[in-house]
Amino acid sequence: MFGKKQPKQPNQAQSMSGVTVNSGVVQQAQAGRDLQQIQSGNLKTQQEITNTEVVKQLENLETAVKASALTQEQKDELLDYLRPAKREAAKEEGSKDLVGQNLKQVNETLKTVKETTEAGKSLWQTGQEVFNAIAPWLGVAAKFIGL
């Protein structure tokens, strides 16, 4: 009983290959008597942007809308939602949900003009660039605009 040797445990290893991880950390382990765990990864974080930078991005989109070859009615519709979003984003404690809801309307209108006009295609691209730039600031509210 006391002199009995425990059977030697075989060395165990795990490996992963052919795995692509974007913006994440890989952690792999196996429970056992002597657990050795190695963690590696490359975690990309997006810089948090400020209200001022969000407002500047929305102003860029507003300028692009005004300069576009859309009809005045289409421009007005886009600006009717874009301006309140910009105003709310400028507030120190502005509602990101309200900004997201307004930008959802902007995005839906941009989708419509993208499909119906040549001018809408380039404006759509500009809008997507702006939305992607401000998505980290919006956080959960980015779901409103489909990000």
Side-chain angles (χ1 to χ4, degrees):
M1 180 173 187
F2 290 104
K4 202 174 195 183
K5 281 187 164 183
Q6 293 290 331
K8 186 174 179 179
Q9 294 288 328
N11 288 337
Q12 296 181 0
Q14 290 182 341
S15 65
M16 295 187 331
S17 62
V19 176
T20 302
V21 178
N22 294 319
S23 299
V25 175
V26 174
Q27 185 174 5
Q28 182 178 12
Q30 180 174 343
R33 186 167 170 237
D34 296 319
L35 175 64
Q36 180 180 11
Q37 184 173 340
I38 299 170
Q39 183 173 332
S40 65
N42 182 9
L43 182 60
K44 295 179 185 176
T45 57
Q46 293 181 329
Q47 291 273 3
E48 182 65 31
I49 62 174
T50 65
N51 294 29
T52 305
E53 292 167 317
V54 170
V55 170
K56 184 175 179 173
Q57 288 289 335
L58 295 176
E59 284 173 350
N60 291 342
L61 182 54
E62 183 178 12
T63 301
V65 168
K66 289 176 181 177
S68 72
L70 297 177
T71 67
Q72 191 58 47
E73 184 179 317
Q74 291 168 322
K75 289 179 185 181
D76 289 344
E77 183 177 352
L78 285 164
L79 295 173
D80 285 347
Y81 293 108
L82 189 55
R83 288 180 179 139
K86 187 176 76 170
R87 225 178 1 258
E88 192 67 23
K91 295 179 182 176
E92 187 65 34
E93 295 294 322
S95 168
K96 293 178 182 183
D97 282 345
L98 185 57
V99 173
Q101 289 169 0
N102 279 298
L103 292 180
K104 177 183 180 184
Q105 296 301 319
V106 171
N107 193 34
E108 288 176 3
T109 304
L110 285 174
K111 282 180 188 175
T112 302
V113 297
K114 176 187 90 163
E115 294 167 1
T116 59
T117 67
E118 195 60 38
K121 290 178 184 173
S122 109
L123 194 55
W124 161 261
Q125 183 62 38
T126 302
Q128 294 312 298
E129 290 169 6
V130 168
F131 296 154
N132 286 327
I134 67 171
W137 179 85
L138 282 172
V140 177
K143 71 181 182 298
F144 289 119
I145 53 177
L147 297 176

